[in-house]
Amino acid sequence: MAGVAVTCEVCEGKRYEEGVLAHRLGGRDISEVLGMTVDEAAAFFAGGEARTPAAHRVLVRLADVGLGYLRLGQPLTTLSGGERQRLKLATHLGAKKSPALYVLDEPTTGLHLADVAQLLALLDRLVDNGTSLIVVEHHQAVMAHADWLIDLGPEAGHDGGRIVFEGTPADLVANGKTLTAHHLRSYTAPSGTAGGEISPSSV
């Protein structure tokens, strides 16, 4: 049977004793802070009585990887694979020495188009700082943005696994015969849904 959740009658679901909830920062108790989204918390810790530069820096990194909508107290078990990858990426961004190589597997999963653009801008900054990126991705915006594509096919599963194209996105659109080429050509065409264009990039 499925589990049953019952709200505590004493703390009313806040998960803290009265003595803990009595402490406030910027007029908020700990349960109210954990109920904030990353974006809300970044503004909260940016100035005023609650100003905490260290917390603000961490929250800005989370927003940079497109996780501004997550709540601070949200259990990790509720995050998607793409969200967990971006969370890990945010922790590496704060390291004193960034690794020379990132391998990301479908980091756009669950992202809105506007958040995909934000993620691509972040990946551009990483590359500009000397980091190498390998991104396993089906999202057409990411493919169109890449410096170099390796297309595996000709189809999926048992019918794939071979390199069917290797080169720039522009070359794939111009000369490719693969399924990826077909879809990317539609994506980048002026009449396409996204109306995107392929241009030199850093990813």
Side-chain angles (χ1 to χ4, degrees), residues 44-190:
F44 178 71
F45 287 112
E49 183 189 339
R51 183 176 182 275
T52 311
H56 183 255
R57 283 194 297 273
V58 171
L59 293 163
V60 167
R61 288 200 299 270
L62 289 171
D64 279 346
V65 296
L67 296 176
Y69 59 89
L70 293 183
R71 299 203 174 275
L72 298 191
Q74 188 168 333
L76 287 175
T77 53
T78 65
L79 303 185
S80 70
E83 287 170 335
R84 291 182 194 187
Q85 282 192 90
R86 295 195 299 277
L87 181 60
K88 191 165 187 178
L89 180 59
T91 63
H92 283 300
L93 290 175
K96 290 182 179 179
K97 184 178 179 183
S98 296
L101 174 68
Y102 287 124
V103 180
L104 304 175
D105 184 14
E106 305 274 4
T108 62
T109 302
L111 281 186
H112 184 274
L113 284 176
D115 293 321
V116 171
Q118 184 178 5
L119 178 64
L120 289 175
L122 170 66
L123 298 183
D124 281 344
R125 292 204 301 273
L126 286 171
V127 172
D128 290 342
N129 290 333
T131 300
S132 297
L133 291 172
I134 298 174
V135 183
V136 181
E137 187 58 82
H138 291 84
H139 199 292
Q140 293 160 321
V142 178
M143 289 190 284
H145 198 77
D147 279 337
W148 195 259
L149 289 175
I150 298 175
D151 188 6
L152 297 177
E155 295 183 23
H158 295 295
D159 298 322
R162 297 193 299 276
I163 295 177
V164 292
F165 175 85
E166 185 176 355
T168 66
D171 288 341
L172 179 61
V173 167
N175 307 309
K177 309 284 188 204
T178 68
L179 286 172
T180 302
H182 170 73
H183 289 290
L184 195 58
R185 199 172 289 124
S186 299
Y187 174 81
T188 57

